[in-house]
Amino acid sequence: MARLTHKHILLGVTGGIAAYKSAELIRRLRDAGAEVQVVMTEAAQSFITPLTLQALSGNPVHVDLLDPTAEAAMGHIELARWADLFLVAPASADAIARLAQGIANDLLTTCWLAAAGKKAVAPAMNQQMWADPATQANLDTLRQRGVAVFGPGAGVQACGDVGAGRLLEAVELAGLCADQFQSGQLTGVEVVLTAGPTREALDPVRYLSNHSSGKMGFALAEACREAGARVTLIAGPVHLPTPERVQRVDITSACDLLAASETAVTQAVARVGSARTVFIATAAVADYRPARVAGQKIKKGDKDDTLELTLIRNPDIVASIAARADRPLVMGFAAETHAVEDYARDKLARKRLDLIACNDVSRSDIGFQSDDNAMVVFWPDAALPAGVGRAELAKASKTQIARQLVSLLAARLPASESAGHAPAPGDPSQTRHADEQL
Ligand SMILES: Cc1cc2nc3c(=O)[nH]c(=O)nc-3n(C[C@H](O)[C@H](O)[C@H](O)COP(=O)(O)O)c2cc1C
C-alpha cells in the first residue's frame, strides 16, 4: 500500500446506498498516505453529508460546478489536474451511463472529462440494474477507454435482493487504488520469499533463535506485489501483519522452512516456469539446531553448573533452491557484523546466487529491529572486469530499500519474450548464470 504515499486521489461519490462506505474508504486511503479530495453529486448528498466527508478527508468537499471560490472559477479543471487517480465510488448506474456518454452536466462528470490521469469506477447498485445490458455496455465502453472497474462484489443487497452489485469493501478498494500505481516491473512473475527468524527447539518450552524482526522481508514482499508479482511469503515467528494480497505460510524451524520453500517454488515454477520465478531468501535461518529435542522440559540438576548441547547443521536453504534443475532466479541476503562485503561476494559465488544483498548488522541505526536499512548488492556480471556488478543503496526506510531491490531484481530477469528459453549469446540475461565464472 506504500505506493499511495503522497498520491492525490480524487474520490467521486454518487447517489447510492453504499455512499456511506466512502467515509471508511477515505480513512483507508489517508492511512495509506494518500491525499484525498472529494467531489459529490447532488444525489450523493442525500445519502451522506459533505460535512462528514470534509472532516474525514481534511479538505473542503466539492459539489458545485459553478464555484465562485475556485481559482479563476475553474474548479473542475483544478481538481482534474490535481488528481493522480480519479475514483468514482460508489458509482451509480446513472453516473456510469453519464461517464460512458461523455455527459458533463455536473461537477463530477465535468471533472471526469477534464481529467487526464488514471481513472476507476467502483459500481454499486441493485443486481438487476447491474445485469441490465445498458449498464454492461456502458462499463465496456469505459473499460475500452482504459478505465479500471473495481468489483462489484456479490451477496445480500440493501434492497433484499441477492446477487452482484455490492460495493467492494473499503480495504479492497484502497488496495486496488494502490495497484494502479504499481510499476509492473514484476508482472507475470511469481516470487517466493522467506522472512523472519527460525526457532530450533531444545525442549517443549525452549528454543534457539535470533533477533530478526522480519521487517525487511515483509517490506520486500509488499514491494514485489506492488510491482505486479504474485507473492508467497514464508514467515518465521514474527509479529507483523501480512501485506495485502500476499499469500503467507507460517513456519517455525529451518527444516520447516526448507520444505515450505521447495513446495512453493515447485508450485510457482509449474504456473509460470523457472525463468519467471524468483526465490528471495531474507529469513535469518539458524545454521545449527539441537541434535536432540528433549521430550520434556530440561531440568537443571543441583550440581550442573554447565550444560552441553550438541548442535547439528541445518540445511542450506538458499543453496538448495539454487541447486535445483529448475532453479528460479535466486536472491540471497547476508547479515554480517564485519568484513560484510567480502563475506557477501564469497556467498554469492559459493551458493551460485543471482544476486546478494548484504547489510552490516553491527550498525545500531539499521538492520534487524530497525525500520531503516542500507545495503550493498552484488550480482555476477561477466561483462565487468571484476566479474561482479555492485550497487550501493544508501540508508532509507525498508520500504524504499525494498523498491530499489525490486528494480535490481527485475533487471536480472530474462525478458519475458525469451522466458523459458536458453539465452542467446550476448543476451544480457546470460549473466543470470554467470556466477560459475567468478
Ligand atoms: C434509496 C435509494 C437508493 C438508491 N441506491 C442506488 C444504488 O445503490 N445504485 C444506483 O445506481 N442507484 C441508486 N439509486 C438511484 C440513484 O440515486 C439515482 O439514479 C440518481 O439519479 C443517481 O444520481 P447520481 O448518479 O448523479 O449520483 C437509489 C435511489 C434511492 C432513492
Side-chain angles (χ1 to χ4, degrees):
M1 204 77 99
R3 295 224 173 250
L4 285 178
T5 308
H6 304 313
K7 288 290 182 298
H8 291 176
I9 312 290
L10 180 57
L11 178 64
V13 182
T14 70
I17 288 287
Y20 75 94
K21 289 190 183 174
S22 55
E24 167 76 357
L25 176 58
I26 293 168
R27 206 178 60 76
R28 293 272 176 186
L29 291 169
R30 291 195 73 196
D31 284 352
E35 283 184 50
V36 182
Q37 296 226 47
V38 179
V39 52
M40 299 175 79
T41 62
E42 194 179 341
Q45 296 166 61
S46 300
F47 291 88
I48 187 164
T49 66
L51 191 61
T52 301
L53 302 189
Q54 175 173 319
L56 289 166
S57 67
N59 284 310
V61 168
H62 308 273
V63 292
D64 290 327
L65 180 57
L66 308 172
D67 179 3
T69 63
E71 193 183 320
M74 299 281 266
H76 58 291
I77 304 291
E78 289 166 31
L79 280 172
R81 283 194 187 138
W82 176 87
D84 296 315
L85 169 67
F86 190 170
L87 166 65
V88 181
S92 66
D94 169 72
I96 289 168
R98 288 188 290 137
L99 299 179
Q101 295 307 311
I103 291 170
N105 59 353
D106 64 7
L107 180 61
L108 187 149
T109 50
T110 309
C111 278
W112 183 271
L113 275 188
K118 300 171 193 297
K119 294 177 184 172
V121 291
M125 65 198 70
N126 162 272
Q127 52 86 21
Q128 199 59 51
M129 293 169 78
W130 167 254
D132 192 279
T135 303
Q136 292 303 317
N138 289 330
L139 281 161
D140 282 346
T141 302
L142 291 176
R143 280 193 196 95
Q144 281 160 21
R145 292 181 192 145
V147 175
V149 179
F150 297 166
V156 181
Q157 303 197 302
C159 57
D161 280 8
V162 178
R166 283 167 60 95
L167 185 68
L168 293 182
E169 295 306 320
V171 63
E172 294 173 277
L173 290 173
L176 289 163
C177 286
D179 285 351
Q180 301 305 302
F181 298 102
Q182 69 183 21
S183 64
Q185 286 171 309
L186 296 181
T187 300
V189 170
E190 291 246 1
V191 173
V192 177
L193 193 146
T194 71
T198 63
R199 278 184 190 167
E200 310 300 328
L202 278 162
D203 67 17
V205 295
R206 302 187 183 93
Y207 54 81
L208 301 176
S209 192
N210 59 63
H211 292 297
S212 169
S213 64
K215 285 179 185 170
M216 190 64 236
F218 275 58
L220 198 45
E222 184 160 14
C224 289
R225 192 198 51 70
E226 283 173 351
R230 173 174 172 159
V231 181
T232 303
L233 170 61
I234 305 171
V238 292
H239 299 287
L240 292 173
T242 311
E244 281 163 42
R245 279 162 295 150
V246 163
Q247 197 199 337
R248 177 168 177 173
V249 178
D250 286 314
I251 55 88
T252 304
S253 69
C255 292
D256 297 344
L257 184 56
L258 176 62
S261 300
E262 295 280 15
T263 302
V265 168
T266 300
Q267 290 169 346
V269 168
R271 281 191 290 265
V272 295
S274 58
R276 308 302 290 164
T277 301
V278 173
F279 181 73
I280 306 176
T282 68
V285 184
D287 290 331
Y288 292 90
R289 67 180 183 278
R292 198 180 79 81
V293 182
Q296 294 183 321
K297 186 179 171 194
I298 300 169
K299 306 297 286 179
K300 65 172 182 284
D302 286 346
K303 300 201 173 111
D304 294 339
D305 286 337
T306 58
L307 173 69
E308 283 197 8
L309 291 173
T310 304
L311 302 179
I312 54 171
R313 236 187 143 88
N314 264 330
D316 188 330
I317 293 160
V318 74
S320 303
I321 299 293
R324 287 171 63 121
D326 61 349
R327 65 173 276 162
L329 185 115
V330 179
M331 179 176 195
F333 274 69
E336 303 291 350
T337 53
H338 58 284
V340 179
E341 296 201 16
D342 292 343
Y343 280 122
R345 290 169 69 131
D346 171 63
K347 192 168 168 182
L348 179 76
R350 204 167 19 86
K351 301 196 179 189
R352 303 186 64 247
L353 308 181
D354 297 296
L355 287 128
I356 191 159
C358 59
N359 61 347
D360 182 348
V361 287
S362 68
R363 278 174 62 177
S364 58
D365 59 331
I366 56 168
F368 272 162
Q369 296 291 332
S370 168
D371 288 332
D372 291 333
N373 213 343
M375 301 200 123
V376 183
V377 184
F378 298 103
W379 59 93
D381 191 336
L384 294 175
V388 179
R390 182 183 188 279
E392 202 161 327
L393 312 184
K395 184 181 166 187
S397 72
K398 285 184 174 171
T399 300
Q400 285 165 312
I401 294 282
R403 285 191 193 146
Q404 294 176 63
L405 290 173
V406 165
S407 295
L408 289 169
L409 252 179
R412 313 306 305 156
L413 279 168
S416 52
E417 307 83 78
S418 62
H421 301 290
D427 183 333
S429 65
Q430 231 181 345
T431 53
R432 247 191 81 176
H433 298 287
D435 44 358
E436 297 95 318
Q437 299 164 27
L438 287 172

